[in-house]
Coordinates of all heavy atoms in Angstrom, one line a residue:
A60 N 1.1 25.6 6.5 CA 2.5 26.0 6.2 C 2.4 27.4 5.5 O 1.5 27.7 4.8 CB 3.3 25.1 5.4
Q61 N 3.5 28.2 5.8 CA 3.7 29.5 5.1 C 5.1 29.6 4.7 O 6.0 29.4 5.5 CB 3.4 30.6 6.0 CG 1.9 30.7 6.4 CD 1.6 32.0 7.1 OE1 2.1 32.2 8.3 NE2 0.9 32.9 6.5
Y62 N 5.3 29.8 3.4 CA 6.7 30.0 2.9 C 6.7 30.8 1.6 O 5.6 31.3 1.2 CB 7.3 28.6 2.7 CG 6.5 27.6 1.9 CD1 6.6 27.6 0.5 CD2 5.5 26.8 2.5 CE1 5.8 26.7 -0.3 CE2 4.7 26.0 1.7 CZ 4.9 25.9 0.3 OH 4.1 25.1 -0.4
T63 N 7.8 30.9 0.9 CA 7.8 31.6 -0.4 C 8.4 30.7 -1.4 O 9.2 29.8 -1.1 CB 8.6 32.9 -0.3 OG1 9.9 32.5 0.0 CG2 8.0 33.9 0.7
V64 N 8.1 31.0 -2.7 CA 8.8 30.4 -3.8 C 9.2 31.5 -4.8 O 8.5 32.6 -4.8 CB 7.9 29.3 -4.6 CG1 7.6 28.1 -3.7 CG2 6.6 29.9 -5.1
S65 N 10.2 31.2 -5.6 CA 10.6 32.3 -6.5 C 9.9 32.2 -7.8 O 10.0 31.2 -8.5 CB 12.2 32.1 -6.7 OG 12.6 32.9 -7.8
I66 N 9.3 33.3 -8.2 CA 8.6 33.5 -9.5 C 9.1 34.8 -10.1 O 9.0 35.8 -9.4 CB 7.1 33.5 -9.4 CG1 6.6 32.1 -8.8 CG2 6.4 33.8 -10.7 CD1 6.6 30.9 -9.7
N67 N 9.5 34.8 -11.3 CA 10.1 36.0 -11.9 C 11.1 36.7 -11.1 O 11.1 37.9 -10.9 CB 8.9 37.0 -12.3 CG 8.1 36.4 -13.4 OD1 8.6 35.7 -14.3 ND2 6.8 36.7 -13.4
Y68 N 11.9 35.9 -10.4 CA 13.0 36.4 -9.6 C 12.6 37.2 -8.4 O 13.3 38.0 -7.8 CB 14.0 37.2 -10.5 CG 14.3 36.5 -11.8 CD1 13.8 36.9 -13.0 CD2 15.0 35.3 -11.8 CE1 14.0 36.2 -14.2 CE2 15.2 34.6 -12.9 CZ 14.7 35.1 -14.1 OH 14.9 34.4 -15.3
H69 N 11.3 36.9 -8.0 CA 10.8 37.5 -6.7 C 10.3 36.4 -5.8 O 9.8 35.4 -6.3 CB 9.6 38.4 -7.0 CG 10.0 39.7 -7.6 ND1 9.9 39.9 -9.0 CD2 10.5 40.9 -7.1 CE1 10.3 41.1 -9.3 NE2 10.7 41.7 -8.1
E70 N 10.5 36.6 -4.5 CA 10.0 35.6 -3.6 C 8.5 35.9 -3.4 O 8.0 37.0 -3.0 CB 10.7 35.7 -2.2 CG 12.1 35.2 -2.2 CD 12.2 33.8 -2.7 OE1 11.5 32.9 -2.2 OE2 13.1 33.5 -3.6
V71 N 7.7 34.9 -3.8 CA 6.2 35.0 -3.7 C 5.6 34.2 -2.6 O 6.0 33.0 -2.5 CB 5.6 34.6 -5.1 CG1 4.1 34.7 -5.1 CG2 6.2 35.4 -6.2
P72 N 4.8 34.7 -1.7 CA 4.3 33.9 -0.6 C 3.3 32.8 -1.0 O 2.6 32.9 -2.0 CB 3.6 35.0 0.3 CG 3.3 36.1 -0.6 CD 4.3 36.1 -1.7
V73 N 3.4 31.7 -0.2 CA 2.5 30.6 -0.3 C 1.9 30.3 1.0 O 2.6 30.2 2.0 CB 3.3 29.3 -0.8 CG1 2.3 28.1 -0.9 CG2 4.1 29.5 -2.0
N74 N 0.6 30.1 1.1 CA -0.1 29.6 2.3 C -0.7 28.2 1.9 O -1.4 28.1 0.9 CB -1.2 30.5 2.8 CG -0.7 31.8 3.3 OD1 0.5 32.0 3.7 ND2 -1.5 32.8 3.2
I75 N -0.4 27.3 2.8 CA -1.0 25.9 2.5 C -2.1 25.7 3.6 O -1.8 25.8 4.8 CB 0.0 24.8 2.6 CG1 1.1 25.0 1.6 CG2 -0.7 23.4 2.5 CD1 0.7 24.8 0.1
V88 N -3.5 25.5 -2.1 CA -2.4 26.4 -2.3 C -3.0 27.8 -2.4 O -3.8 28.0 -3.4 CB -1.5 26.1 -3.5 CG1 -0.5 27.2 -3.8 CG2 -0.9 24.7 -3.4
E89 N -2.7 28.7 -1.5 CA -3.4 30.0 -1.5 C -2.4 31.1 -1.9 O -1.3 31.2 -1.4 CB -3.9 30.3 -0.1 CG -4.6 31.7 0.0 CD -5.0 32.0 1.4 OE1 -4.1 32.1 2.3 OE2 -6.2 32.2 1.7
H90 N -2.9 31.8 -2.9 CA -2.3 33.0 -3.4 C -3.4 33.9 -4.0 O -3.9 33.5 -5.1 CB -1.2 32.8 -4.4 CG -0.5 34.1 -4.8 ND1 -1.0 35.0 -5.6 CD2 0.8 34.5 -4.5 CE1 -0.2 36.0 -5.8 NE2 0.9 35.8 -5.1
Y93 N -3.1 35.2 -7.7 CA -3.2 34.2 -8.8 C -4.5 33.5 -8.9 O -5.0 33.2 -10.0 CB -2.1 33.1 -8.6 CG -0.7 33.6 -9.0 CD1 0.4 33.3 -8.1 CD2 -0.5 34.2 -10.2 CE1 1.7 33.7 -8.5 CE2 0.8 34.6 -10.5 CZ 1.9 34.4 -9.7 OH 3.1 34.7 -10.1
A110 N 2.6 27.4 -13.1 CA 4.0 27.2 -12.7 C 4.1 27.4 -11.2 O 4.8 26.7 -10.5 CB 4.9 28.1 -13.5
Y111 N 3.5 28.5 -10.8 CA 3.6 28.9 -9.3 C 2.9 27.7 -8.5 O 3.5 27.3 -7.5 CB 2.8 30.2 -9.1 CG 2.4 30.4 -7.6 CD1 3.3 31.0 -6.7 CD2 1.2 30.0 -7.2 CE1 3.0 31.2 -5.4 CE2 0.8 30.2 -5.8 CZ 1.7 30.8 -5.0 OH 1.4 30.9 -3.6
F112 N 1.8 27.3 -9.0 CA 1.1 26.2 -8.2 C 2.0 25.0 -8.1 O 2.1 24.4 -7.0 CB -0.2 25.8 -9.0 CG -0.9 24.6 -8.5 CD1 -1.4 24.6 -7.2 CD2 -1.1 23.5 -9.3 CE1 -2.1 23.5 -6.7 CE2 -1.8 22.4 -8.8 CZ -2.3 22.4 -7.5
Q113 N 2.6 24.6 -9.2 CA 3.4 23.4 -9.2 C 4.7 23.6 -8.3 O 5.1 22.7 -7.5 CB 3.8 23.0 -10.6 CG 2.6 22.6 -11.4 CD 3.0 22.3 -12.9 OE1 3.4 21.2 -13.2 NE2 2.9 23.4 -13.7
K114 N 5.3 24.7 -8.4 CA 6.4 25.0 -7.6 C 6.1 25.0 -6.1 O 6.8 24.5 -5.2 CB 7.0 26.4 -7.9 CG 8.5 26.4 -8.0 CD 9.0 27.7 -8.6 CE 10.5 27.6 -8.7 NZ 11.0 28.9 -9.2
A115 N 4.9 25.6 -5.8 CA 4.4 25.6 -4.4 C 4.2 24.2 -3.9 O 4.5 23.9 -2.7 CB 3.1 26.4 -4.3
V116 N 3.7 23.3 -4.7 CA 3.4 21.9 -4.3 C 4.7 21.2 -4.0 O 4.9 20.5 -3.0 CB 2.6 21.2 -5.4 CG1 2.5 19.7 -5.1 CG2 1.2 21.8 -5.5
I117 N 5.7 21.4 -4.9 CA 7.0 20.7 -4.7 C 7.6 21.2 -3.4 O 8.1 20.3 -2.6 CB 7.9 21.1 -5.9 CG1 7.4 20.6 -7.2 CG2 9.4 20.7 -5.6 CD1 7.7 19.1 -7.5
E118 N 7.6 22.5 -3.1 CA 8.2 22.9 -1.9 C 7.3 22.6 -0.6 O 7.8 22.4 0.5 CB 8.4 24.5 -1.9 CG 9.0 25.1 -0.7 CD 10.3 24.5 -0.2 OE1 11.0 23.9 -1.0 OE2 10.6 24.7 1.0
M119 N 6.0 22.4 -0.9 CA 5.2 21.9 0.2 C 5.6 20.6 0.9 O 5.6 20.5 2.1 CB 3.7 21.8 -0.3 CG 2.7 21.3 0.7 SD 1.1 21.0 0.0 CE 1.2 19.3 -0.3
L120 N 6.1 19.7 0.0 CA 6.6 18.4 0.5 C 7.7 18.6 1.6 O 7.7 18.0 2.6 CB 7.1 17.5 -0.6 CG 6.2 17.4 -1.8 CD1 6.8 16.3 -2.8 CD2 4.8 17.0 -1.4
N121 N 8.6 19.5 1.2 CA 9.7 19.8 2.1 C 9.2 20.5 3.4 O 9.6 20.2 4.5 CB 10.7 20.7 1.3 CG 11.9 21.1 2.2 OD1 12.4 20.2 2.9 ND2 12.3 22.3 2.1
Q122 N 8.3 21.5 3.2 CA 7.8 22.3 4.4 C 7.1 21.4 5.3 O 7.2 21.5 6.5 CB 6.9 23.4 3.9 CG 7.6 24.5 3.1 CD 8.5 25.4 3.9 OE1 8.2 25.6 5.1 NE2 9.6 25.9 3.4
H148 N 15.3 18.6 -8.7 CA 15.7 18.1 -7.4 C 16.4 16.8 -7.4 O 16.4 16.0 -6.5 CB 14.5 18.0 -6.5 CG 13.9 19.3 -6.1 ND1 13.1 20.1 -6.9 CD2 13.9 20.0 -4.9 CE1 12.7 21.2 -6.3 NE2 13.2 21.1 -5.1
Y154 N 13.1 13.6 -3.1 CA 12.3 13.9 -4.3 C 12.6 12.8 -5.4 O 11.7 12.4 -6.1 CB 12.7 15.3 -4.9 CG 12.1 16.4 -4.1 CD1 12.8 17.0 -3.1 CD2 10.8 16.8 -4.4 CE1 12.3 18.1 -2.3 CE2 10.2 17.9 -3.6 CZ 11.0 18.5 -2.6 OH 10.4 19.5 -1.9
C180 N 10.1 31.1 -14.1 CA 9.0 30.6 -13.2 C 9.3 29.2 -12.7 O 9.0 28.9 -11.5 CB 7.7 30.6 -14.0 SG 7.1 32.2 -14.4

Side-chain angles (χ1 to χ4, degrees):
Q61 290 190 292
Y62 51 90
T63 60
V64 293
S65 164
I66 297 285
N67 290 328
Y68 315 107
H69 287 96
E70 288 303 313
V71 179
V73 181
N74 294 333
I75 300 292
V88 173
E89 182 184 54
H90 181 289
Y93 283 135
Y111 164 84
F112 173 62
Q113 295 174 87
K114 220 170 183 181
V116 170
I117 295 280
E118 178 55 22
M119 179 185 93
L120 310 186
N121 180 41
Q122 294 286 332
H148 289 74
Y154 285 95
C180 292

